[in-house]
Amino acid sequence: MKIIKADIYSVNFPLKEPFIISYASYPSMAAIIVRCETDDGIVGYGEAVPDEHVTGEQVDAAFEILKNVLVPQIINESPFDIEHIHYKMDAAISCNPAAKAAIDIACYDLMGKATGQPVYNLIGGRAHDNLQYPKVLSIEAPEIMAEKAKKAVAQGFSSLKLKVGLDDAALDIARIYAVREAVGEEMPIRIDVNQGWKTVGLAVQTINHLEGVNLTWIEQPIRMGDIRGLAEVRRKVSTPIMADESVQTMEDLLEIIRLDAADYINIKLMKAGGIFPAVQMAKAAEAAGIIAQIGSMVESSIGSAAGYHAVMSRKNIQTAELTGPLLFSEEIGNLHFELPYVKLSGKPGLGIDVNTDQLEKLATKSAKVKG
């Protein structure tokens, strides 16, 4: 079984409403879809969601790297040789994890379809009975976020994630207190700062103002890369700390372990380079006693399904928040959400159907690569 050709699509997924976080506001989400085909006619799909603020990748550049560098590396290779494929990609070009994730995900989709197994059975089997997802609220005025939080509780969501860190910490505190007051003391709330509080001093000061809010964790309060600073924040506060942008590679994770810098880590397939390295990182975190989450870069059903398969396969991956398909006004897949659960179909591969007509409609450009 060999991969003989691939189609690459640059697409733009329209959002129902702007997605606002500390470093950007998105009216739509750009992504790259890779369709790989084998010599026996099996088709597998992968997805890249580049983010110049996190992985350093820009969508047009990632498209060209996939077309000219990475996809040629896998032509005439077996998708089952996934470690070899990652070595080839890493030898061809450093970094570019989201682009590599697209190929990795497509390979797992092919492997699953070839064996008649869902992807999670290829990487550990079912470690969870069900998979839940939170309601993610982007940054808005305190009263608006509070009202949306109340609506989410009424809809049946079992947890909330609040984006903060856009303007000033005092307003973030007001946002968080407003939501807590609106939903009561029992509703789990997690906070994602996306580096917005920047410095250790401001982060510690702000978190100390939030100690009475009963937060599940605070995610990436300071600038990415400052793992020593993250460790200092963790030592000085009692609310658990999650590392996100600061943990992209296995080397980052080992430094977080060495410095005891986080209670949780947020693994994203787009940061790690796909399912294969993400599962490796989850295993390393488990050995160190750190709980993992699979997070979102606002992927479609393709990338989101891949993330949920990784969650399903590992006991130490205890949470996920891949809600991209729920945010889009137009999509290309059929990952099934049944609030507050996501339902993996159990079908071979990623277990989703891709609407090729919709893919062509949303594509802004495409390319073909053959052997």
Side-chain angles (χ1 to χ4, degrees), residues 42 80 109-119 121-122 346-349:
I42 300 174
F80 287 93
D109 196 24
L110 290 169
M111 284 188 263
K113 289 172 178 174
T115 59
Q117 295 293 322
V119 167
N121 274 353
L122 306 178
K347 294 178 181 178

Side-chain angles (χ1 to χ4, degrees), residues 303-314:
S304 297
Y308 280 117
H309 278 276
V311 178
M312 181 62 83
S313 74
R314 299 299 308 170

Side-chain angles (χ1 to χ4, degrees), residues 232-312:
E232 185 177 350
V233 172
R234 182 171 181 252
R235 287 194 301 270
K236 292 181 176 179
V237 301
S238 60
T239 302
I241 299 297
M242 173 180 278
D244 178 5
E245 289 93 336
S246 285
V247 56
Q248 302 196 36
T249 65
M250 183 67 81
E251 290 76 15
D252 294 334
L253 175 55
L254 294 176
E255 184 71 353
I256 284 170
I257 293 169
R258 188 177 71 83
L259 295 177
D260 206 16
D263 302 277
Y264 304 91
I265 60 166
N266 192 0
I267 301 170
K268 295 178 179 175
L269 271 55
M270 298 302 131
K271 294 186 304 178
I275 295 171
F276 182 74
V279 170
Q280 288 182 314
M281 291 176 72
K283 291 178 180 179
E286 183 176 22
I290 297 174
I291 295 169
Q293 167 178 279
I294 296 292
S296 172
M297 298 284 265
V298 196
E299 299 96 333
S300 75
S301 285
I302 295 171
S304 297
Y308 280 117
H309 278 276
V311 178
M312 181 62 83

Side-chain angles (χ1 to χ4, degrees), residues 136-185:
V136 181
L137 298 178
S138 62
I139 302 171
E140 296 186 84
E143 62 274 15
I144 295 175
M145 293 181 74
E147 187 59 35
K148 288 186 175 182
K150 285 176 65 175
K151 183 178 178 182
V153 173
Q155 289 172 331
F157 282 94
S158 57
S159 62
L160 300 173
K161 176 172 181 172
L162 312 184
K163 294 286 190 176
V164 297
L166 176 62
D167 29 46
D168 65 84
L171 190 52
D172 286 335
I173 293 169
R175 290 182 173 106
I176 295 163
Y177 270 96
V179 170
R180 172 55 77 199
E181 184 176 354
V183 301
E185 293 299 318

Side-chain angles (χ1 to χ4, degrees), residues 24 49 84 122 166 172 205 327 329:
V49 181
H84 173 65
L122 306 178
L166 176 62
D172 286 335
Q205 182 183 41
L327 305 179
S329 58

